[in-house]
Amino acid sequence: MSPQDPVLLSGIEADLASRRCDGLRIDAEHFRAFSSQVQLNHADFFQKPRSVRLQAALDDLDGRLRSDKQAACEAIWVAYGPGSPLQLLRRG
């Protein structure tokens, strides 16, 4: 796993949740601050090739969203909602 994979995974997981989980949206202000802090931009998250391990982690999340969407969305909300260290998501 590359050193950036955990950081990329956080941003991509939050984005995926904002597209697949009802009522969850990216918290734009916090996402921009997070991206700036870790010195990554939109292309780093969404356009550059992903490592095999990062893609496997995202495939696993996709599978969890398909098999038990409610539980997967709740876990992502806990990880990235208000009160979490990153706070990349909001309700809306």
Side-chain angles (χ1 to χ4, degrees):
M1 187 174 274
S2 89
Q4 287 186 329
D5 280 358
V7 174
L8 291 170
L9 182 60
S10 295
I12 297 168
E13 279 182 334
D15 177 70
L16 189 58
S18 76
R19 290 185 282 119
R20 302 269 300 275
C21 299
D22 298 332
L24 298 187
R25 299 290 172 258
I26 288 290
D27 184 318
E29 180 180 334
H30 286 107
F31 198 95
R32 277 193 300 274
F34 166 70
S35 297
S36 177
Q37 180 183 9
V38 296
Q39 299 180 342
L40 295 172
N41 62 35
H42 184 272
D44 294 318
F45 285 104
F46 305 112
Q47 296 172 340
K48 291 187 177 176
R50 297 175 180 160
S51 73
V52 171
R53 287 194 175 126
L54 177 58
Q55 189 59 54
L58 293 170
D59 290 345
D60 177 63
L61 175 59
D62 185 58
R64 285 184 282 137
L65 283 165
R66 290 177 194 277
S67 66
D68 191 349
K69 183 177 175 179
Q70 184 175 349
C73 289
E74 188 56 37
I76 294 169
W77 175 247
V78 169
Y80 302 114
S84 70
L86 294 179
Q87 196 171 333
L88 299 177
L89 293 170
R90 63 178 177 80
R91 295 264 185 207

